[in-house]
Amino acid sequence: MTEDNNWDEDLEEDAAIARVFQHLKIHKQHTGESGRNSGVPQSNERVDFVALPCGHRMPADYVVAWFKYYLKQETEFSCPRVHVQGKSCSKNLSYQDMCWLIPLTDKQREFLEENLAALVARRLFDFKACPGCQSHVERRDRGNLCVHCTICTANLKRNYYFCWNCRREWKGPANNGVRCDNDGCGQRVRTSDPLVPCKPEFKKKMLQEMGDDIYPLKDKSQDRKRLALLINNVDFKNLNYRTGADKDELSMEVLLKGLGYTVITLRDLSAQGMHAAMRDFAQREEHDKSDSCFVVLMSHGDAKGICGVFDSFEDEDEEDIFQAEEIFNCLNTPNCAGLKDKPKIILIQSCRGGKEGSVIVQDAVSRRNRAKEHIEKEFCCLRSCTPDTVSYRDKEKGSDFIQDTVEIFNQHAHQDDIEELFRKVIKKFKESHPDQLPCKERITLSKKFYLFPGL
């Protein structure tokens, strides 16, 4: 990190790090010859469930995934357990508590501590990335938008200043600047949004023409609480690292946020962790004020199901496999009252076997029983491939399924319903990807579901 005033960088950096770790209450603890803390679980120990200070027991990997999510949201970590009434436990848990409860790997510790330090640094200091060299520069005078970068100054052999507001090289007087002379400085710069917004006239027309044949949607407001759950398994104990999955995660997050959903992203879960995530997601109180939900699951998989990050357990016959059936069970009428009669959209990116892709045509028989409440209804699921076949992922671009789905939604969600969007995804694969074909499953939508992005 550089700064716009000259000072002893090494001494200041040491002092900054000390303040960060004091704020986090993270201290180096005495270790024995093994280099591990006495009483702390070893990183090679298997701990299925942990009991949090609040008394709730849950999979250890699920707790770590939530800790990472809270770090990303820059909020304090609390117990993620959701009661049947829809209320979260919300009992706070510190990083030190987690270290004593869970055998974190060195990779997990490094990730968490680096991100914790960066989070606190952002709160303690006023710094941004220099547009010239991308080094982090601290602004010492918060009343001056003109900031000096010492690295660019040395590289360019001239004084280099940039505007704290628009993050471009400074134009205009450099002393006590409150506004630079760059065009548009002080105005909000809008980046291009790939999601085509829906026109209010179209929404009004569809609601009038289709009447009861379209799902009622809540208008965009503070009262609407749409939720989406995104599970992305990337780093496995025994299987290959899912290189490129970061691109899928980012693309899907941007899409879902653009559609008005608050996205809960959890990474690297076991089958037990995925089940806990689905169970808690189903009980969230936000569903009462929502009109729909999305569940996106990305992982390795085979004919048996969707792989958890452990894949298999040493010295045991048990495999770490999550069944897609559990998604439907957790979100069905008896188990998720908040989403009763509301569309539940499921996207699953995973292999389902090792065979080359082929088109499979299945007849669906509709069963109706109006005398009772249907256990499973209002679902629409699109899987990345047909049964027993593989699903492809590019290490640089991400998976064909996620990237093409996001592209179709961005271009057509403003005018097409969800099943038409899925049809267009399948059509694109049929035309462009001969070795893989997505598959719609367990569709129980009784009406048209339009997303009306932006409204």
Side-chain angles (χ1 to χ4, degrees):
M1 183 173 72
T2 66
E3 60 290 314
D4 57 322
N5 284 331
N6 293 323
W7 57 347
D8 190 317
E9 294 184 10
D10 292 335
L11 289 177
E12 180 61 27
E13 183 176 351
D14 289 343
I17 292 173
R19 291 199 296 273
V20 167
F21 278 82
Q22 182 179 12
H23 181 85
L24 287 171
K25 296 181 180 178
I26 298 175
H27 307 284
K28 292 184 178 180
Q29 302 183 21
H30 297 292
T31 60
E33 293 181 358
S34 64
R36 306 294 298 182
N37 301 321
S38 176
V40 177
Q42 304 291 307
S43 62
N44 59 354
E45 293 178 6
R46 177 186 167 193
V47 176
D48 288 343
F49 286 81
V50 293
L52 301 185
C54 58
H56 288 125
R57 294 183 71 253
M58 56 192 67
D61 54 277
Y62 181 54
V63 176
V64 175
W66 267 100
F67 203 99
K68 291 180 179 180
Y69 171 74
Y70 279 121
L71 270 178
K72 190 175 180 180
Q73 301 303 309
E74 298 191 2
T75 56
E76 291 187 4
F77 176 77
S78 60
C79 173
R81 176 56 49 84
V82 180
H83 300 291
V84 178
Q85 297 82 4
K87 297 289 185 181
S88 297
C89 171
S90 299
K91 177 71 175 179
N92 287 342
L93 181 73
S94 70
Y95 173 68
Q96 280 183 305
D97 291 334
M98 191 170 67
C99 288
W100 282 96
L101 290 170
I102 300 173
L104 298 175
T105 64
D106 291 339
K107 189 174 183 179
Q108 288 174 328
R109 284 179 180 272
E110 181 180 0
F111 174 87
L112 292 173
E113 291 184 4
E114 283 184 358
N115 281 271
L116 281 167
L119 170 60
V120 176
R122 285 195 294 272
R123 295 179 178 178
L124 291 177
F125 309 117
D126 189 21
F127 67 86
K128 288 184 180 180
C130 168
C133 63
Q134 300 305 312
S135 298
H136 285 95
V137 181
E138 182 184 5
R139 180 171 65 153
R140 302 300 303 279
D141 181 2
R142 301 201 176 197
N144 187 1
L145 292 178
C146 182
V147 180
H148 182 221
C149 176
T150 56
I151 292 180
C152 285
T153 295
N155 291 340
L156 299 173
K157 295 181 172 35
R158 63 175 175 84
N159 282 327
Y160 180 89
Y161 299 90
F162 69 92
C163 176
W164 198 255
N165 189 38
C166 67
R167 288 191 64 245
R168 288 176 284 178
E169 186 171 0
W170 183 267
K171 289 185 179 179
N175 295 325
N176 298 320
V178 294
R179 185 180 182 275
C180 77
D181 291 340
N182 283 309
D183 293 338
C185 183
Q187 301 175 5
R188 182 180 178 184
V189 179
R190 295 183 62 86
T191 57
S192 59
D193 188 349
L195 182 63
V196 178
C198 177
K199 295 181 179 180
E201 309 87 69
F202 175 79
K203 180 179 180 180
K204 182 178 180 180
K205 176 185 174 183
M206 297 306 297
L207 292 174
Q208 289 176 344
E209 291 181 356
M210 304 199 68
D212 292 338
D213 289 331
I214 189 172
Y215 284 100
L217 295 183
K218 296 180 180 293
D219 292 330
K220 186 177 181 180
S221 69
Q222 295 293 329
D223 294 330
R224 188 179 70 181
K225 305 292 184 183
R226 287 179 172 175
L227 283 184
L229 176 64
L230 196 165
I231 297 174
N232 188 18
N233 288 342
V234 181
D235 195 1
F236 294 76
K237 183 177 181 180
N238 301 310
L239 297 175
N240 291 334
Y241 188 91
R242 292 184 63 246
T243 306
D246 289 344
K247 299 289 196 313
D248 289 344
E249 180 180 309
L250 178 60
S251 297
M252 188 55 65
E253 282 183 335
V254 171
L255 172 64
L256 292 172
K257 290 176 182 177
L259 292 172
Y261 293 85
T262 298
V263 185
I264 300 172
T265 302
L266 301 179
R267 272 211 179 190
D268 298 337
L269 295 178
S270 64
Q272 294 173 336
M274 286 186 273
H275 176 75
M278 285 306 312
R279 177 199 60 213
D280 286 338
F281 181 74
Q283 299 302 320
R284 300 278 299 223
E285 63 180 349
E286 292 93 333
H287 295 317
D288 292 331
K289 297 182 179 180
S290 177
D291 50 28
S292 57
C293 83
F294 270 78
V295 173
V296 183
L297 205 160
M298 302 183 287
S299 184
H300 283 305
D302 56 28
K304 297 178 183 178
I306 301 162
C307 294
V309 291
F310 296 122
D311 180 41
S312 61
F313 298 117
E314 297 178 1
D315 302 325
E316 294 185 26
D317 295 331
E318 178 186 359
E319 291 184 302
D320 192 23
I321 297 293
F322 177 79
Q323 301 297 332
E325 175 77 18
E326 294 192 45
I327 301 175
F328 295 88
N329 289 340
C330 287
L331 297 179
N332 65 18
T333 302
N335 295 324
C336 186
L339 288 173
K340 178 178 173 292
D341 298 325
K342 301 173 184 178
K344 297 163 278 287
I345 311 304
I346 301 166
L347 300 170
I348 302 176
Q349 158 63 32
S350 72
C351 289
R352 304 178 71 180
K355 298 179 181 179
E356 289 295 325
S358 60
V359 177
I360 297 178
V361 180
Q362 296 178 328
D363 293 328
V365 179
S366 177
R367 296 178 60 93
R368 295 185 179 182
N369 187 343
R370 299 183 182 276
K372 298 179 180 179
E373 190 69 53
H374 293 98
I375 293 176
E376 181 180 307
K377 59 179 180 177
E378 323 306 344
F379 281 95
C380 191
C381 177
L382 184 66
R383 301 199 62 163
S384 59
C385 57
T386 51
D388 302 319
T389 62
V390 295
S391 184
Y392 293 96
R393 171 175 36 84
D394 186 275
K395 292 183 178 180
E396 298 295 330
K397 301 177 182 178
S399 67
D400 295 331
F401 175 67
I402 294 296
Q403 296 302 323
D404 285 359
T405 299
V406 169
E407 180 182 332
I408 293 295
F409 273 59
N410 280 333
Q411 295 176 357
H412 302 286
H414 68 288
Q415 62 185 10
D416 291 336
D417 68 281
I418 195 72
E419 291 195 67
E420 175 62 14
L421 292 171
F422 283 2
R423 187 193 67 80
K424 286 182 175 176
V425 173
I426 295 172
K427 180 182 178 182
K428 182 168 184 178
F429 267 78
K430 187 176 180 180
E431 296 172 347
S432 307
H433 307 290
D435 295 326
Q436 179 182 344
L437 193 69
C439 180
K440 292 193 288 185
E441 292 186 349
R442 295 174 76 154
I443 297 178
T444 54
L445 296 180
S446 58
K447 303 177 182 181
K448 298 281 188 179
F449 175 42
Y450 286 88
L451 290 160
F452 299 131
L455 301 177

